[in-house]
Amino acid sequence: MKLLKLVFIFIATSTICAQNNSDEKYFRHLRYNHVSPYIQLVGTHPIDKSEASSTSHYVFTYDSSGRLVQIINNHYHTERRHPLASIGVYRMSISYSDRDEIRVFYDINNKRITNDREVYKEVFSYDKDGFKYQLVFYDIENKRMESSWKVSEYRWKKHQEFIVEERFNLAGEAVNVSPYFEFGTTGILLDKNDVPKGHYNLDANFKPKANSVGVASYQDTYDAHLNHVKYSYHDEKDDLVMNQWGFAYGEKVYDSIGNQIGLNQFDVEGKEINRRNIYSNAAIVMAEVASQQDSLDIRKKSLGYLVALQKMIPELMNEVMNDSLNKVTIGYDRNLKAEYANATTREDMMRFAESWNKANTKFPFKPNNQIEILDIYDRIANVKLVSDNWVEYLHLIRLDGKWQIVNLIWQYKDVERYPKR
């Protein structure tokens, strides 16, 4: 018993020491990377723990040797991410064995999942001099697997100023840099701080060569904050060339804390051919108050549903009901002696509009339909409808400028029709 107690104390003390020896750093973003997994994961726009508690961020944890052992993803902003630039999971755990760096991926419930490359584990291997020469992907059963780009293994070697990269599938066949970009063996050019400068398509003699659309390299520029501010496409002579998407270079615009807010694209002559804002939930502006016309249309469409039933107008029912209609009320299963959600389809509603009130006995001869718009937010609305028979809540959606009912939940106005609670 005393031995077990001593072991427990040792383990607890070791754990506390390990925690005390770890170091956490907080960053708003990850450095953008569309070159290769060879490029190291780097946090940008550092913040302190206090600021991180109230904003989107990543947490980098380092061991006592300064090695990165974990990244926690609390990054909320929604700008488009490249599979090479995002960990794509809540938590990435990094361990070290001999000369291997092992990355495993988890969701917020600590369940193992795949990352943005759709693999369960990544193992980077280093030689005795610390050069990273290989990356292999594994599934959850620790068997080799292919990524979403059909790559099972990356291999790197040095050649003059290049880090030469080759990629292979499970069959050992060479694979392009990505399914949508025709670069085979490539050369990665880094600056003195290991920031990527260029990615070159190489021939057998390690010389840049053009692919089928005339592109021999794409080159990158980062600012002092490590924002990826420019990327450009070049031929074998290093002259600008139009890529397969119809532009020669792009310039990104960032706000003061590193959120990309714009993208401008240019041809080889520097003429702007595309300019667009980049959506990000870093700053969201609430919609303006709904227009009077929206209110009128919502009332008309909401009442139109009852009018279509009362006056048997299937054309009107077709106009007001969206194809994705979900209509539900309270049903009772006598066998199970239990209530359930009883659904009515759009097709049912079309049939009801044709004949349900054919004897004119379903409604008073002067129906009393009352409508209250509870809320409108831009393209969605919530409505309360009270008639002689029912109380209903309607959700409406505006598509291509037209309002339609998409959800409808109702019950009989007479509550005596339901079992007592």
Side-chain angles (χ1 to χ4, degrees), residues 36 126 153 167 169 173 188 195 203 210 222 283 288 300 328 387:
S36 165
Y126 295 76
E153 178 184 357
R167 298 155 299 275
N169 61 19
E173 301 164 330
I188 302 167
V195 176
D203 63 18
Y222 294 80
E288 296 179 358
K300 181 179 178 181
V328 175
S387 63

Side-chain angles (χ1 to χ4, degrees), residues 82-227:
H82 193 284
L84 295 174
S86 169
I87 62 174
V89 296
Y90 169 70
R91 182 169 71 92
M92 181 174 77
S93 173
I94 307 172
S95 60
Y96 300 88
S97 174
D98 296 327
R99 296 194 184 113
D100 290 338
E101 174 190 325
I102 304 159
R103 300 179 182 178
V104 182
F105 311 99
Y106 299 88
D107 67 14
I108 200 166
N109 296 312
N110 210 36
K111 176 184 176 183
R112 282 191 62 184
I113 57 172
T114 59
N115 64 0
D116 273 359
R117 291 191 270 271
E118 297 184 11
V119 300
Y120 281 93
K121 185 169 77 171
E122 300 182 344
V123 178
F124 292 85
S125 296
Y126 295 76
D127 66 19
K128 60 182 178 61
D129 298 318
F131 177 73
K132 182 164 47 180
Y133 68 88
Q134 185 185 49
L135 167 61
V136 178
F137 298 137
Y138 294 90
D139 65 17
I140 200 165
E141 296 178 347
N142 216 35
K143 298 177 181 177
R144 285 199 176 200
M145 69 174 295
E146 292 179 352
S147 71
S148 56
W149 287 355
K150 306 303 179 185
V151 179
S152 176
E153 178 184 357
Y154 286 81
R155 296 177 193 167
W156 298 291
K157 61 184 177 182
K158 291 181 180 179
H159 180 78
Q160 297 177 358
E161 76 272 27
F162 288 130
I163 303 296
V164 177
E165 175 179 285
E166 296 176 297
R167 298 155 299 275
F168 302 91
N169 61 19
L170 279 173
E173 301 164 330
V175 178
N176 277 333
V177 67
S178 76
Y180 54 83
F181 205 79
E182 183 196 335
F183 270 24
T185 299
T186 55
I188 302 167
L189 193 61
L190 306 175
D191 70 11
K192 62 181 180 180
N193 297 313
D194 287 334
V195 176
K197 292 172 57 178
H199 202 180
Y200 294 80
N201 191 40
L202 302 179
D203 63 18
N205 297 313
F206 303 106
K207 301 296 182 183
K209 69 171 183 177
N211 65 9
S212 62
V213 295
V215 176
S217 70
Y218 52 90
Q219 301 176 24
D220 298 297
T221 303
Y222 294 80
D223 66 14
H225 302 289
L226 291 181
N227 297 317

Side-chain angles (χ1 to χ4, degrees), residues 328-385:
V328 175
T329 190
I330 302 162
Y332 186 78
D333 189 315
R334 295 186 183 277
N335 293 325
L336 297 176
K337 296 183 180 180
E339 293 178 330
Y340 67 98
N342 185 19
T344 302
T345 67
R346 188 181 192 279
E347 290 72 21
D348 291 334
M349 296 306 299
M350 291 300 300
R351 289 196 300 271
F352 294 159
E354 292 176 350
S355 60
W356 190 61
N357 194 33
K358 63 182 180 181
N360 201 33
T361 58
K362 302 295 185 181
F363 304 92
F365 76 96
K366 289 185 178 180
N368 179 24
N369 302 328
Q370 300 174 24
I371 182 172
E372 178 185 0
I373 299 177
L374 302 176
D375 190 38
I376 307 172
Y377 186 81
D378 191 35
R379 297 168 179 263
I380 56 176
N382 187 17
V383 171
K384 183 178 181 179
L385 195 58

Side-chain angles (χ1 to χ4, degrees), residues 380-394:
I380 56 176
N382 187 17
V383 171
K384 183 178 181 179
L385 195 58
V386 179
S387 63
D388 298 281
N389 299 329
W390 312 301
V391 174
E392 310 178 70
Y393 293 96
L394 285 62

Side-chain angles (χ1 to χ4, degrees), residues 10-22 64:
F10 173 76
I11 292 172
T13 304
S14 299
T15 302
I16 292 170
C17 290
Q19 291 173 346
N20 290 338
N21 287 333
S22 67
S64 57

